[in-house]
Amino acid sequence: MNKLCEQYIRNIKSLFPIMGKSEKKYIQQLIPEILDCIETGNITSIEALYDAFGAPHDIINNYFSLADMDTLVDRIRLNKWIKRGIIICISICFVVFFIWGCTTLHAYNVFLREQALFLSTNIK
């Protein structure tokens, strides 16, 4: 792939709300068309590619017009709940490690205070 095509595909990918199998397949089908458009039209800039093939948001609108909206909405909702679950798990781990750190620090301070009581002294 040439750099112009890679940049165009990257711009398209950035507009997808989620990237699943169907989105990857759609993009893989677009790549030969974009390369053909670049070669036949002697396109050398991204703006010329936008004029010839369409802006990335037009490509995304075309994909959404062809896609089943119920399935897409369900996937977006699932993705949202997965992200929330990951955030909750990370937060719980953070709280657990914070509590563990505080109790360990407290135990260490108690150990230091008790260590002073058990020092052995030699009397001659």
Side-chain angles (χ1 to χ4, degrees):
M1 254 191 328
N2 80 29
K3 291 184 180 185
L4 192 60
C5 182
E6 287 177 6
Q7 182 182 3
Y8 189 67
I9 293 297
R10 197 175 325 116
N11 292 342
I12 291 173
K13 284 182 178 180
S14 68
L15 295 177
F16 276 109
I18 54 175
M19 186 60 72
K21 275 186 181 179
S22 59
E23 288 82 9
K24 289 178 184 176
K25 185 178 177 182
Y26 181 74
I27 288 175
Q28 290 301 320
Q29 291 172 352
L30 281 177
I31 290 174
E33 296 175 24
I34 295 169
L35 289 172
D36 186 45
C37 181
I38 290 172
E39 291 172 2
T40 58
N42 294 329
I43 296 173
T44 57
S45 70
I46 194 76
E47 290 81 18
L49 184 59
Y50 285 175
D51 292 337
F53 202 74
H57 62 80
D58 294 332
I59 303 296
I60 298 298
N61 288 337
N62 184 30
Y63 172 76
F64 287 141
S65 68
L66 298 175
D68 180 29
M69 290 310 266
D70 293 333
T71 306
L72 190 62
V73 169
D74 289 342
R75 287 178 49 212
I76 290 172
R77 284 183 182 155
L78 177 66
N79 195 11
K80 179 177 70 172
W81 282 106
I82 289 172
K83 287 179 183 178
R84 285 181 180 174
I86 290 171
I87 290 172
I88 289 171
C89 289
I90 289 172
S91 299
I92 288 171
C93 289
F94 177 74
V95 168
V96 166
F97 283 124
F98 180 75
I99 291 171
W100 175 77
C102 289
T103 56
T104 304
L105 179 65
H106 178 70
Y108 178 72
N109 288 335
V110 168
F111 173 74
L112 287 179
R113 279 185 267 143
E114 290 178 355
Q115 186 179 12
L117 297 175
F118 296 111
L119 289 178
S120 61
T121 56
N122 292 333
I123 302 175
K124 293 185 183 182

